[in-house]
Amino acid sequence: MKDFAAQIKKIGEIGYVEQVLHSIVYVNGLPGAMPNELVVFETGERGQILSLTRDYAEIMVFSSRSLQVGIKASRTNTFLNIPVGEELLGQVINPFGEALDHLKPITTKTSRPVDVVPGGIVVRKRINKPLETGVSLVDLIIPLGKGQRELVIGDRKTGKTEFLLQAMLTQAKQGTICIYSAIGKKKLDIKRVEEFFDRNKIKDKTIIIASDSEEPASIIYINPYSAMTIAEYFRDQGKDVLIVLDDLLTHAKFYREISLLARRFPGRNSYPGDIFYTQAKLLERAGNFTYQKGESSITCLPVVETTQGDLGGYIQTNLMSMTDGHIYFDSDIFTQGRRPAINPFLSVTRVGRQTQSTLRREINRELVSFLTLYERMQRFVHFGAELSEIVKNTLSTGELIHSFFDQTADSSVDPRLQIFLFCVLWIGTWQGKTTPTMKGEIDIFIKAYEEKKKVREDINELISKAESFNKLLNDVRKQVQSFFDAVDLKMADAQEQPLQSPQPQANPNTQLPGKTNIPPEAQEETNKKEG
Amino acid sequence: MRKHTALYEPILLGIRSKSDLDQLQNTIGEILTSLFTIKKTKLDTILDKSLHKPLARAVKDAIKKEKITLTDHDKIKEFFQKLQEAVSRLPLVRLTFAFSPSPKILETTSDWAKNTFGHDAILDIEIDEKILGGAIVVYEGIYKDFSLKNRIQKVFNDHRKEIQPSFS
């Protein structure tokens, strides 16, 4: 960026600040100004033209310092550009591509405009590759695809960021470029994310675009657009990108602040009328694309906060309609101690299932139908009625499944291992065992999968060979003993227990949730109680 | 050339510089905000105190010509609002000199500005010694640098190779 003197000499147009309203200034002059054009002030600040009237150019200033009336401004004949390139990997930058640690300036060969028109239908491709998050609950029940826009929604402090970090960890390990856009976050939170990347040695695959809460509204507002521009650069290099926008409610609030300062007419909740357009324009830039370097995707995980679990807020519903589904973090589930606190019944994935293999789809169907039945049965427990053995078994299996899905924030489970462990559970291996015992054994399996090549190869082979869920269950049942031996675990307790789970085998005719693989007695009992 | 109401013409022509313009605008603002407390003597005092004599006289004459009584607040308000509007439309020519211009230079410059930009053009003169000589002219957002500094810089840029050895 050339300085003010050079620009004014080149363009030959000047303006004078006539009015200052926080980050919005009104400049008189600049006869050739264009909307969205970048402007430089004699004091070194930069700004972007928001709108033009006959007498004034309305400019959004990217500075926390307040400008004074009378300061000179010059046009630049350019739009807001940020440097992009491989050099950004591992850096924490501001929305202008400048390193926040100020240790060394980042020099890149290319730059790209921040505000671009999203790619049209010609360059888009059907989402066909699964995106593994390493979180068993999501990968098995709410699967995502590469190029999907999945909203992460929930109350504050329900574990949304932890889930996003897990997803980024898994993806970065698979070679995906992960971009974290921290929109108006606390400095400490940004630091924590950086430390997480550092600790897990994935810094070379990640970029953090940070604008903390004390920055001016204009800088916070452009943060996700800059992040998306960087994502588009890597997409055009033929790489898959995962971008996390944390969070878009803050983004909307800062856009509201700018709009109200610029005297735009306030609409619902005082948000401007174009708030939907502003955020849809951003999310529309994600997707699965085909460019010169082949197929590459930008998977976008925007975050939005809810208040008291209210999913019907203005921005929340706007974002739901812009995205291809949402993962709902339930505060009730969180207080029950389940992690991640995702409510699978209120979560939606619109394109994720189409990327799944037949086996995964079958498991998904089985799980959803079982969990529906389990939830229904749990409601009857409150009536205090005496429960039959089958219902008791269903409830205990349900509890085991919930425990199976419990995962700590820094653990990531390989999708093939997820399937294997689920099969081990589904055949009733852990029936009758306590939850801590099961969790302990699962942890041993996870560790063995990471460390023992033989175990990993055997599990991977078993999963890749499986043609259907039923077949896989049979194979697992035959080999489970050898796997337990391989990881130095005893199966004695489990073997002593009779296999009483209501779902020892998947029902191939499963179609509807709640009507599958459930023994007729259990179903009858449920119906009777419902009746 | 802008057309002003004949009534305001003497007032507008009485504005000689940016400071006159600012003073007049401030005075109008003051009058409009204290409209209902103004009495005849007070209005004259405000005008005499804040404006230079010919300009104050021009405003008083215009009020007299319009036959506005000071009790008619609506008419006073309308008069000053229209004057404010006419004043805000005056073309402003910003000139940057390297030195403080003498009255003679100022007169010559003023004549040039009135011939070039219109008879009602107002000069806003700034002093910046760094430009060494000549002037920088800004009119309606267009910036023209006729300074000596710019000329010298251009010569240096164009003939750097020839000039540089003579300094080493």
Side-chain angles (χ1 to χ4, degrees), chain A residues 8-9 12-16 18 28-31 72, chain B residues 94 96 126 138-145 150 153:
Chain A
I8 205 150
K9 216 173 257 182
E13 285 185 24
I14 194 169
Y16 293 85
E18 298 256 327
N28 181 255
L30 307 176
K72 292 168 193 159
Chain B
R94 294 173 200 256
T96 309
E126 257 180 61
V138 175
Y139 176 69
E140 288 189 345
I142 304 294
Y143 176 92
K144 295 282 174 192
D145 190 349
N150 189 35
Q153 247 172 8

Side-chain angles (χ1 to χ4, degrees), chain A residues 408-420:
Chain A
T408 51
D410 54 354
S411 75
S412 169
V413 186
D414 188 278
R416 285 162 294 193
L417 182 63
Q418 285 171 7
I419 295 177
F420 171 76

